[in-house]
Amino acid sequence: MAKPAKKLVIVTEKILLKKIAQIVEDSGATGYTVVETGGKGSRNIRSSGQPSVSDTTVNIKFEVLTPDRVMAEKIADKVAINFFHDYAGIIYISDAEVLYAHSFCGPEGC
Amino acid sequence: MDLLSNFLMDFVKQLQSPTLSFLIGGMLIAAFGSQLQIPESIVKIIVFMLLTKIGLTGGIAIRNSNLTEMILPAAFSALVGILIVFIARFTLAKLPKVRTVDALATGGLFGAVSGSTMAAALTLLEEQNINYEAWAGALYPFMDIPALVTAIVVANLYLNHKKRREAEYASKQEFFGEQQDNRVKIWPIVKESLQGPALSAMLLGLALGLFANPESVYKGFYDPAFRGLLSILMLVMGMEAWSRLGELRKVAHWYVVYSIVAPFVHGLIAFGLGMVAHYATGFSLGGVVVLAVIAASSSDISGPPTLRAGIPSANPSAYIGASTAIGTPIAIGFCIPFFLGLAQTLGAQ
């Protein structure tokens, strides 16, 4: 008993956290998970500007589960058009199966 | 000649002072690839403590001082903050291979104020028993905010102008930017600056010093811990400066020239205006040094995120690299002793 879903992953600069969270919420997704993360990409830019020497936690990774591909692509397009011209970022999507979730699956369960 | 020998003596003394020696130490161990790490959360708490202490000092002192004296220096601070951005617009931006938006962001960052540089200057003034107005630290926001606002507004005006010109050539330009509202709003920038970690800590300290009686925690905690914590912050900034040098190599070399020359030019302009206030309203020479140093300093904590959000198309490697890797060490290592020496020479006459 699993409900099929799409898992959308957005890795980008921490400074965009609030703006992307807003886009995800506006799209109708019921929730999201954000983790602070680090890594290296083609831009290799750190924009937090904090004088931190342990400089690995300045990227964020959003994970959003959406019931269909349409909603996921809507979020991805909006984020990419608004931010990825000027900020570092990558978006990918994969299939997922939700096993347990209260509001995502509805009252009957997954 | 007098000035030169004075300056050299002060400079050697500065090299041995905890402030600068920790900065150089930080650069050295970073250069040798040391694995030493100071966690980011500790850096944040240090910045909070330093600026709260500066705020508290100011707040406690303001209670029994005449605030009308502050008007002229505060006005000069704002003037210098705005002027610095336009200096960058008409010097740095005109140099080859320098993009105008990058230059404006760099100007904004150099116009904005570094709390740690200011803390270092205040410590040195105290060590040398030079008096300054206790509210001098409160000049910080008067320079910081106008500089950031001017940089962001001018950059966006420039970008809009450029976009309109491009749109005349190609009418099919709908993909990027078109759906955004391109009008620059000033209030959100001011709000973001005030909400930044450094400024909010200082304003909180000011308010607490002014309206509450924080003397006991001030004497028992904030004041004694101040210098030790400053030395840790200096170490971190030295390490950070070294690690950012690599980023600076990727952008035009003119940024290196700018970040060496600009702190002195900005500081001298502020020093001159400070001397005007000195003769007009009796602004102390120590206060003139503080004004010159905050003009020479470039923001390292709250400025970069504000600029990144306000001018997204500017390359952060250019402005953060210029400020953190070169601007800040120059301001702390060379500008502070320079302006101190200048004030001492003028005061001796």
Side-chain angles (χ1 to χ4, degrees), chain A residues 70-82:
Chain A
V70 179
M71 187 193 280
E73 282 186 351
K74 205 174 81 186
I75 299 172
D77 286 349
K78 214 165 172 188
V79 169
I81 289 171
N82 278 328

Side-chain angles (χ1 to χ4, degrees), chain B residues 290-310:
Chain B
V290 175
L291 184 64
V293 169
I294 62 173
S297 77
S298 48
S299 177
D300 37 38
I301 295 151
S302 28
T306 308
L307 285 169
R308 185 79 179 107

Side-chain angles (χ1 to χ4, degrees), chain B residues 140-179:
Chain B
Y140 180 152
F142 289 97
M143 189 179 298
D144 197 64
I145 295 174
L148 292 173
V149 170
T150 313
I152 293 172
V153 170
V154 174
N156 281 294
L157 288 177
Y158 168 80
L159 286 173
N160 286 348
H161 180 70
K162 206 174 118 187
K163 201 176 285 164
R164 226 173 298 133
R165 244 184 333 184
E166 275 168 8
E168 280 168 21
Y169 290 114
S171 54
K172 263 207 297 181
Q173 237 226 351
E174 315 166 274
F175 191 59
F176 284 121
E178 280 298 303
Q179 62 267 72

Side-chain angles (χ1 to χ4, degrees), chain A residues 13-15 19 43-55 57-58 80-82 84-88, chain B residues 36-40 43-44 175-176 179-180 236 239-240 244 247 250 300-301 304-305 308-309 312-313 316:
Chain A
E13 299 183 27
K14 191 177 171 184
I15 198 167
K19 291 172 183 165
R43 294 214 189 192
N44 203 17
I45 290 168
R46 303 156 182 131
S47 72
S48 81
Q50 303 280 356
S52 60
V53 174
S54 55
D55 210 355
T57 57
V58 289
I81 289 171
N82 278 328
F84 283 6
H85 190 54
D86 294 323
Y87 297 92
Chain B
L36 177 68
Q37 289 194 341
I38 311 282
E40 190 174 334
V43 175
K44 281 184 183 157
F175 191 59
F176 284 121
Q179 62 267 72
Q180 293 165 337
V236 173
M239 290 158 78
E240 189 75 3
R244 297 271 185 193
E247 272 182 52
K250 292 182 212 149
D300 37 38
I301 295 151
R308 185 79 179 107
S313 52

Side-chain angles (χ1 to χ4, degrees), chain B residues 15-74:
Chain B
L15 283 177
Q16 294 169 326
S17 78
T19 315
L20 195 58
S21 54
F22 272 80
L23 186 79
I24 296 171
M27 287 171 125
L28 279 178
I29 59 167
F32 288 125
S34 158
Q35 295 293 312
L36 177 68
Q37 289 194 341
I38 311 282
E40 190 174 334
S41 45
I42 296 203
V43 175
K44 281 184 183 157
I45 206 91
I46 292 178
V47 168
F48 160 76
M49 279 201 51
L50 296 186
L51 283 145
T52 308
K53 189 259 177 187
I54 293 172
L56 283 171
T57 317
I60 292 171
I62 282 173
R63 270 192 241 151
N64 26 7
S65 71
N66 180 9
L67 269 192
T68 47
E69 284 171 8
M70 201 178 156
I71 295 172
L72 197 59

